[in-house]
Amino acid sequence: MAGHRIVADLLVPLDTASDVPLSRQVYNGLRDAILRGDLAPGTRLPSSRRLAAYLAVSRTTVLAAYERLVAERLVVGAVGSGSRVSDHLPAKPIA
């Protein structure tokens, strides 16, 4: 199932000993994956419950990360249809 592949692709490294809050670590991992192109525009993200279970964190942690991604317009969300990577991402920097 494609949904399981996406969850497996979202390997977000978490360091429970870090001073950085887990929600920030989840946000950073997802943001980096989006900006690197690992998660293409239009890609549906796993539900907050599924990602929380996969990462072994609380759903509140994932929701905080998703909310920040939505606020930065990297992710769009709609009730009933889940969250997707925005079709309008910032341009990649020129190397």
Side-chain angles (χ1 to χ4, degrees):
M1 175 183 264
H4 294 291
R5 183 191 59 77
I6 292 170
V7 171
D9 289 346
L10 291 176
L11 181 59
V12 176
L14 299 178
D15 179 0
T16 56
S18 173
D19 290 336
V20 178
L22 288 174
S23 61
R24 179 64 183 228
Q25 292 181 51
V26 173
Y27 159 80
N28 287 341
L30 292 173
R31 180 182 178 277
D32 291 348
I34 291 168
L35 295 178
R36 273 192 317 265
D38 294 344
L39 294 173
T43 300
R44 186 172 179 175
L45 298 178
S47 70
S48 57
R49 283 184 178 89
R50 177 174 282 183
L51 186 57
Y54 180 75
L55 297 175
V57 297
S58 76
R59 181 172 174 236
T60 304
T61 297
V62 173
L63 286 172
Y66 276 13
E67 287 173 7
R68 184 160 182 181
L69 291 165
V70 168
E72 293 183 6
R73 298 183 179 160
L74 294 173
V75 168
V76 293
V79 176
S81 66
S83 299
R84 295 182 183 276
V85 176
S86 175
D87 288 328
H88 306 287
L89 297 176
K92 292 184 180 181
I94 298 173

